[in-house]
Amino acid sequence: MNEENKIILLPNTFKKVGIIIIVLTAIIFFILVFIDTNFNQEQKNIYRMIFNNLWIISLCFIAFSKDKIEDERSISIRLRTFNGAFLFGVLMFIISPIMDIIFNDPISYVSGQYIIGVILLFYIFTYNYTMRKERKEINNEERN
Amino acid sequence: MKNVIKIERARLNLTQQDLADMVNVSRQTINSIETQRYIPSTVLALKISKVFNKTINEIFELEESD
């Protein structure tokens, strides 16, 4: 692949590492929620920050790790879906306070971590959906 | 952009997977190019032309809509 067409991606194994971190984080989170831990507010904030960061890091690992065969077409699909995901995040940031006004709720702005999480989730979903859809279409064409 | 990859593959008795391996892309990418769903980069188009020992213009042709 031409150097100029390359984007920064992690090795394929990082996808599995990301999934393992998400599962472990979710298990630990639910254990802490259901066990009476008696944490004070400062401790709660620290744990919230750790969980949020682990969540973002694991989503980044899943989103930005290479496929088994990474070529210029998959990079083109990555760029297209990331563009869509970024626009979705921006729209969400703009629409969220407007919805608060419409429903007479106190105006609140969504946090950066929340927006980044939404963008990454939207990107992971649309990228994998597009790749799977195209693979399915190709397989169907071959059968016909 | 029209192309004659399918015809050239048949001439050399190559599968999509064979061609994909020769130019280091996935089989889905070769299929997408053949069915005109994806327009390859200049580098990939040149690589494909080289496999068939033809010029790029003999493999790919611009359409009115391009």
Side-chain angles (χ1 to χ4, degrees):
Chain A
M1 204 185 300
N2 189 338
E3 281 296 316
E4 280 185 15
N5 293 340
K6 279 186 179 170
I7 56 170
I8 299 166
L9 290 171
L10 298 161
N12 180 255
T13 44
F14 275 76
K15 200 167 276 185
K16 284 176 195 145
V17 175
I19 293 167
I20 291 166
I21 297 173
I22 276 193
V23 172
L24 287 178
T25 311
I27 291 169
I28 296 166
F29 178 79
F30 282 111
I31 289 171
L32 289 178
V33 165
F34 289 110
I35 291 173
D36 187 19
T37 48
N38 290 326
F39 290 141
N40 61 34
Q41 194 54 44
E42 198 181 338
Q43 286 172 318
K44 276 182 186 171
N45 288 341
I46 289 170
Y47 282 118
R48 191 172 295 143
M49 186 264 293
I50 292 169
F51 279 118
N52 283 344
N53 284 348
L54 281 172
W55 173 243
I56 300 282
I57 288 167
S58 51
L59 284 178
C60 278
F61 280 3
I62 296 168
F64 302 120
S65 56
K66 284 181 189 171
D67 283 342
K68 277 176 187 155
I69 303 173
E70 191 78 30
D71 60 18
E72 60 174 56
R73 184 180 130 271
S74 55
I75 288 177
S76 156
I77 295 170
R78 277 184 192 282
L79 294 176
R80 198 159 18 108
T81 49
F82 195 77
N83 174 263
F86 186 80
L87 285 176
F88 180 78
V90 170
L91 275 177
M92 206 169 163
F93 184 76
I94 294 167
I95 289 170
S96 177
I98 296 170
M99 295 303 275
D100 288 336
I101 294 169
I102 291 169
F103 293 106
N104 283 327
D105 290 332
I107 295 173
S108 62
Y109 286 97
V110 285
S111 73
Q113 280 176 327
Y114 182 77
I115 285 289
I116 289 171
V118 166
I119 289 173
L120 288 172
L121 271 177
F122 191 90
Y123 165 71
I124 292 167
F125 176 76
T126 49
Y127 175 72
N128 285 295
Y129 174 76
T130 310
M131 291 300 271
R132 214 164 275 184
K133 198 180 112 196
E134 288 205 359
R135 208 173 301 140
K136 213 173 175 183
E137 278 172 8
I138 289 165
N139 290 339
N140 285 344
E141 275 167 21
E142 281 173 356
R143 255 184 247 128
N144 295 333
Chain B
M1 190 162 73
K2 284 192 287 187
N3 67 75
V4 290
I5 294 175
K6 200 171 183 177
I7 298 163
E8 290 298 323
R9 264 198 316 107
R11 193 173 62 82
L12 294 185
N13 204 18
L14 290 174
T15 62
Q16 285 183 344
Q17 189 63 59
D18 293 335
L19 180 58
D21 292 339
M22 288 165 107
V23 294
N24 291 322
V25 294
S26 66
R27 189 178 63 85
Q28 283 85 0
T29 300
I30 296 297
N31 184 289
S32 297
I33 297 169
E34 278 186 9
T35 52
Q36 298 176 39
R37 268 199 299 248
Y38 175 69
I39 297 171
S41 68
T42 318
V43 175
L44 182 54
L46 282 165
K47 279 183 186 174
I48 292 170
S49 308
K50 200 177 172 187
V51 168
F52 300 130
N53 209 14
K54 300 239 170 164
T55 64
I56 200 164
N57 283 331
E58 287 174 295
I59 305 294
F60 298 94
E61 192 189 332
L62 281 173
E63 286 178 297
E64 290 266 323
S65 54
D66 291 323

